[in-house]
Amino acid sequence: MVLQYALLWLPLAFIAVINGVLRELTYGKVLSELSAHQLSTLTGVLLSGTFVYFVHRLWPIESLVNAWCIGAIWFVATVIFEFGFGHYVAGHSWDHLLNDYHILRGRVWSLFLLWVLLMPVIMYRYV
């Protein structure tokens, strides 16, 4: 069960990349960078949550411990991907990548990471 869900991180990453591409091709052109970042974080929560909701309906998470393990795996994988891809493939500086964690400046990426961690627990408890 945990392994199945761990592998579901791959389609979640794909959803996140598509979400970012849609931001850049659409509303990112008309909104400020900060507003686009915030809206993209919200759409990322909605899209990933919808995907995990339907997966959980097909393959219910078996226990709270499993839910926490899945969330932790997704969280770590997301952070590794963000920094690895962001720096080594997209060419962003470490400062640029860390900037998304400044919540007091309106950068809400850390809320998305919290969502990734808690999403399996929420699905287990309430769906």
Side-chain angles (χ1 to χ4, degrees):
M1 160 68 57
V2 172
L3 180 59
Q4 282 177 311
Y5 268 87
L7 293 174
L8 285 174
W9 180 84
L10 294 170
L12 285 171
F14 180 75
I15 290 168
V17 169
I18 295 300
N19 185 47
V21 168
L22 288 173
R23 176 190 65 226
E24 295 304 315
L25 295 177
T26 59
Y27 58 87
K29 294 180 178 186
V30 295
L31 296 177
S32 71
E33 192 279 331
L34 180 59
S35 293
H37 161 80
Q38 293 167 338
L39 181 56
S40 181
T41 301
L42 176 62
T43 59
V45 165
L46 296 173
L47 291 171
S48 62
T50 300
F51 173 73
V52 172
Y53 169 83
F54 284 111
V55 168
H56 177 67
R57 303 271 302 177
L58 285 172
W59 299 320
I61 298 170
E62 296 170 341
S63 71
L64 184 59
V65 170
N66 283 356
W68 279 111
C69 288
I70 293 161
I73 290 167
W74 287 353
F75 176 87
V76 169
T78 302
V79 172
I80 290 170
F81 177 78
E82 176 195 7
F83 283 98
F85 183 86
H87 182 73
Y88 295 109
V89 177
H92 297 302
S93 70
W94 297 115
D95 286 339
H96 174 81
L97 294 169
L98 289 170
N99 183 54
D100 279 337
Y101 290 87
H102 289 283
I103 196 140
L104 296 177
R105 294 182 191 162
R107 308 301 293 187
V108 293
W109 175 249
S110 55
L111 297 178
F112 180 79
L113 290 176
L114 182 62
W115 168 247
V116 167
L117 176 66
L118 296 177
M119 189 172 16
V121 174
I122 292 167
M123 296 298 167
Y124 173 76
R125 289 233 184 231
Y126 302 108
V127 175

